[in-house]
Amino acid sequence: MSFQNLLIDYTGRIQHIIINRESKLNALNKATLAELHTALYDAFHNDRVGGIIITGAGEKAFVAGADIAEFAAFDSIRGGELARVGQDKVFNLISNGNKPVIAAINGFALGGGLELALACHIRIAADTAKMGLPEVSLGLIPGYGGTQRLTGLVGKGKALEIILTADMITANEAFQIGLVNHVVSQDNLLPKAEEIMNRILLRAPLAVASAIAAVNASSQAGVNGFETEIAEFAKCFDTDDFKEGVTAFLEKRKPVFKGV
Ligand code: COA
């Protein structure tokens, strides 16, 4: 599969998705979002892929936001459509994915770029990265889930400060408020993301998918997360991987999971 705005690479069972519009600081235009949907859908359905790492091309930007030039002339109808389609096809697709997705934030993650990182399950930042939701400085608010996911991660007070001031924060500030899981040097960014992903890939894939679904349920309106946890927990008992996991433990050996 070849793309105009993405590079796809593999390290073992990890699929790397690199947003590749460096001259526009990897801003998410319509074509890039469509390609991201295709690449993610394919990765979630490809048995050879265990997890996905998303990053930006170059060292300056992860993603500097949605492409401002593209929506400059939009009205409320087209604006609403932009947010709904984007959330549905890319941001919620990642968040609800059945495989782990890690954002390796290599530079500016602004607006839709930070929202992309927020939709991922784990975030690692280079110490040079800067993050923010500058939409109110454009007369907008975040539309790809940022108001909801940032609040869930850092709490209402910090989320409101970041969104209302439109100011950028450093990687270390993001770490202090729980917005990113780790801060490393630019050189160590992908190795660190791969190290974490490889640890996840040792675990039972269906249990990993169930854990993602159960944790996500904690912030879904109208969903009782405790009930979701019971249902996902119960499902695990019918998997071969559960039998393999407990048998390997009792036999004092490492499990070999097959994802069934
Ligand atoms: N949408 C479209 N184009 C963007 C973009 C975006 N979100 N962010 C950067 N670009 C483009 C610039 O227009 C410029 O293109 P050009 O060379 O054809 O003029 C190119 O990327 C480089 O950006 P530039 O602004 O010249 O780099 P800089 O180092 O001076 O500043 C930023 C970097 C990130 C501070 C600045 O680009 C910026 O503020 N971007 C917008 C961030 C934003 O508001 N995002 C939220 C969108 S909802």
Side-chain angles (χ1 to χ4, degrees):
M1 201 172 297
S2 78
F3 296 105
Q4 302 299 310
N5 303 288
L6 304 179
L7 298 171
I8 306 291
D9 201 2
Y10 297 90
T11 312
R13 295 178 56 226
I14 302 173
Q15 176 164 335
H16 292 264
I17 299 180
I18 302 142
I19 297 159
N20 189 31
R21 290 186 81 214
E22 215 177 322
S23 67
K24 296 289 177 190
L25 304 188
N26 304 321
L28 298 175
N29 61 358
K30 204 172 165 189
T32 307
L33 284 167
E35 290 185 1
L36 265 175
H37 171 80
T38 304
L40 288 160
Y41 185 89
D42 178 65
F44 287 134
H45 290 84
N46 182 344
D47 289 343
R48 288 181 311 243
V49 174
I52 301 148
I53 295 175
I54 301 180
T55 196
E59 293 202 345
K60 186 166 174 182
F62 173 72
V63 169
D67 194 312
I68 298 170
E70 267 191 359
F71 61 68
F74 278 16
D75 60 9
S76 60
I77 307 281
R78 294 184 73 193
E81 207 174 77
L82 180 76
R84 190 171 298 285
V85 172
Q87 288 195 17
D88 184 38
K89 298 272 185 206
V90 175
F91 297 77
N92 295 347
L93 179 68
I94 294 172
S95 175
N96 298 329
N98 60 352
K99 295 175 187 176
V101 185
I102 297 180
I105 306 171
N106 54 309
F108 288 115
L110 302 174
L114 182 56
E115 291 175 295
L116 182 66
L118 286 166
C120 295
H121 303 121
I122 294 173
R123 281 153 294 285
I124 321 285
D127 52 12
T128 50
K130 293 247 174 71
M131 285 157 253
L133 292 174
E135 284 87 347
V136 295
S137 63
L138 297 168
L140 285 175
I141 69 165
Y144 288 144
T147 61
Q148 307 303 297
R149 292 196 177 98
L150 185 65
T151 305
L153 267 182
V154 306
K156 197 170 162 185
K158 273 288 167 199
L160 279 169
E161 184 180 336
I162 290 168
I163 294 166
L164 301 187
T165 63
D167 286 340
M168 291 186 214
I169 60 171
T170 64
N172 281 324
E173 287 165 334
F175 175 73
Q176 279 160 20
I177 60 173
L179 173 44
V180 300
N181 301 49
H182 300 276
V183 179
V184 294
S185 66
Q186 181 79 247
D187 284 352
N188 279 326
L189 183 63
L190 290 179
K192 181 72 183 176
E194 287 180 4
E195 177 205 317
I196 293 175
M197 185 65 86
N198 280 324
R199 287 216 302 281
I200 299 172
L201 296 184
L202 293 174
R203 315 306 174 203
L206 294 176
V208 166
S210 282
I212 292 171
V215 171
N216 280 348
S218 69
S219 55
Q220 277 161 4
V223 173
N224 181 333
F226 291 94
E227 287 301 328
T228 304
E229 183 178 288
I230 291 169
E232 294 293 337
F233 178 76
K235 249 167 63 180
C236 293
F237 284 84
D238 286 341
T239 65
D240 289 356
D241 280 350
F242 162 68
K243 290 174 189 66
E244 167 63 8
V246 292
T247 305
F249 177 81
L250 295 172
E251 291 176 354
K252 300 192 187 305
R253 62 171 173 82
K254 286 200 185 336
V256 181
F257 293 121
K258 299 208 168 78
V260 287

